Amino acid sequence: MGRLGELEPVPRRSTVEIISDELRSAILYGSLPPGGQLGEADLAARLGVSRGPLREAMQRLVQEGLLRSEPHRGLFVIELDEDDVRDIYYARLAVERAACQQIMQRNRGEALVTLNEALQGLVAAARRRDRVAMSDADQAFHQALVQASGSVRLERMAQTLLVETRMCLNALQETYPEPGDLVEEHRKLVEAIADGDEERLLRLIEEHMTDTIERLRPAERSAADPAPAAQ
């Protein structure tokens, strides 16, 4: 809706957009695992679509960087190493820092309504100590944060980065913060927006990203080391 109570046309989604979302979701949750090859005939049958829109959707994901094309071999889901993880979070920092600046210049009240709803979803998942639900709620919070900026371009950039982030966390669940710590990190972001403290908000979003990089780095190194011989 635009002005309160004013009806507007409902946006129509193309088949290609729907297929693209299905593929992103499959990559997000690991149904299409890192390094896995995409079989066109198999995917078309599983999705119940023709190959034309499927090819177009897969090319979108190639352009977004979630799939890679290998000549004479086909399309594969990307794999992420330590440098990729660091790059993803620094890119997210740039996008979400810009989003935070836009929020502080707009109607913060609207942003707070959306972000408080997202925060409650995270609180509920944390109470259950459900890691998958926490990851979902964490992602939903950051999506809401970027959407609240009102910038469609920032939102578009964040979409791919959040899928890549989830790929990192799927592989490295042991590095995820304790539920209470995760909730508190996000609660502080909401409080800074409520207080109108832009300097604190930007400092917190930077700490949120850089602290995550530090948590992920040791786990990736140890995962790369060969397992010790049995004693």
Side-chain angles (χ1 to χ4, degrees), residues 25-67:
S25 180
I27 293 171
L28 179 79
Y29 289 103
S31 297
L32 294 174
Q37 184 173 13
L38 274 64
E40 191 177 288
D42 176 59
L43 283 176
R46 288 166 63 186
L47 292 168
V49 298
S50 61
R51 295 194 184 190
L54 174 61
R55 287 192 194 106
E56 188 175 341
M58 290 193 295
Q59 284 307 311
R60 284 193 182 190
L61 269 63
V62 170
Q63 293 169 358
E64 291 174 12
L66 294 176
L67 299 177

Side-chain angles (χ1 to χ4, degrees), residues 133-155:
M134 285 167 58
S135 294
D136 285 342
D138 189 351
Q139 176 161 314
F141 181 95
H142 287 276
Q143 284 178 320
L145 179 73
V146 178
Q147 287 170 354
S149 73
S151 169
V152 295
R153 289 170 180 81
L154 288 176
E155 190 176 345

Side-chain angles (χ1 to χ4, degrees), residues 202-220:
L202 297 181
R203 176 172 49 79
L204 287 170
I205 199 69
E206 181 169 355
E207 289 174 356
H208 185 68
M209 299 300 173
T210 55
D211 287 353
T212 303
I213 292 171
E214 290 306 311
R215 279 199 300 267
L216 289 172
R217 182 178 293 130
E220 285 214 331

Side-chain angles (χ1 to χ4, degrees), residues 22-224:
E22 287 292 316
L23 294 176
R24 281 192 207 95
S25 180
I27 293 171
L28 179 79
Y29 289 103
S31 297
L32 294 174
Q37 184 173 13
L38 274 64
E40 191 177 288
D42 176 59
L43 283 176
R46 288 166 63 186
L47 292 168
V49 298
S50 61
R51 295 194 184 190
L54 174 61
R55 287 192 194 106
E56 188 175 341
M58 290 193 295
Q59 284 307 311
R60 284 193 182 190
L61 269 63
V62 170
Q63 293 169 358
E64 291 174 12
L66 294 176
L67 299 177
R68 71 175 193 276
S69 177
E70 294 189 10
H72 311 299
R73 293 194 63 204
L75 297 177
F76 297 80
V77 179
I78 61 167
E79 297 175 273
L80 303 173
D81 60 20
E82 184 178 333
D83 288 339
D84 291 318
V85 172
R86 186 166 51 250
D87 193 43
I88 288 164
Y89 276 91
Y90 282 134
R92 277 189 60 188
L93 173 58
V95 169
E96 296 192 30
R97 180 183 173 88
C100 287
Q101 290 173 317
Q102 290 297 312
I103 288 170
M104 300 304 278
Q105 295 169 17
R106 292 165 56 86
N107 185 341
R108 288 185 290 114
E110 291 181 3
L112 285 169
V113 170
T114 304
L115 289 170
N116 272 309
E117 289 177 359
L119 180 61
Q120 290 312 305
L122 184 56
V123 169
R127 283 202 194 104
R128 302 195 303 272
R129 301 187 72 85
D130 183 331
R131 296 273 178 180
V132 173
M134 285 167 58
S135 294
D136 285 342
D138 189 351
Q139 176 161 314
F141 181 95
H142 287 276
Q143 284 178 320
L145 179 73
V146 178
Q147 287 170 354
S149 73
S151 169
V152 295
R153 289 170 180 81
L154 288 176
E155 190 176 345
R156 190 163 59 233
M157 288 186 283
Q159 182 181 44
T160 298
L161 290 168
L162 287 169
V163 174
E164 291 180 317
T165 298
R166 185 58 175 271
M167 291 172 69
C168 299
L169 297 178
N170 285 344
L172 301 165
Q173 280 291 333
E174 69 275 10
T175 68
Y176 217 56
E178 284 299 306
D181 294 338
L182 187 67
V183 169
E184 190 59 24
E185 284 182 24
H186 291 78
R187 193 189 308 279
K188 287 178 179 178
L189 293 170
V190 175
E191 289 173 351
I193 294 172
D195 294 342
D197 192 336
E198 182 172 338
E199 183 179 347
R200 175 157 55 101
L201 176 62
L202 297 181
R203 176 172 49 79
L204 287 170
I205 199 69
E206 181 169 355
E207 289 174 356
H208 185 68
M209 299 300 173
T210 55
D211 287 353
T212 303
I213 292 171
E214 290 306 311
R215 279 199 300 267
L216 289 172
R217 182 178 293 130
E220 285 214 331
R221 283 178 181 162
S222 62

Side-chain angles (χ1 to χ4, degrees), residues 12-32:
R12 299 178 63 183
R13 302 177 67 218
S14 70
T15 302
V16 173
E17 289 174 322
I18 295 170
I19 296 171
S20 298
D21 283 349
E22 287 292 316
L23 294 176
R24 281 192 207 95
S25 180
I27 293 171
L28 179 79
Y29 289 103
S31 297
L32 294 174

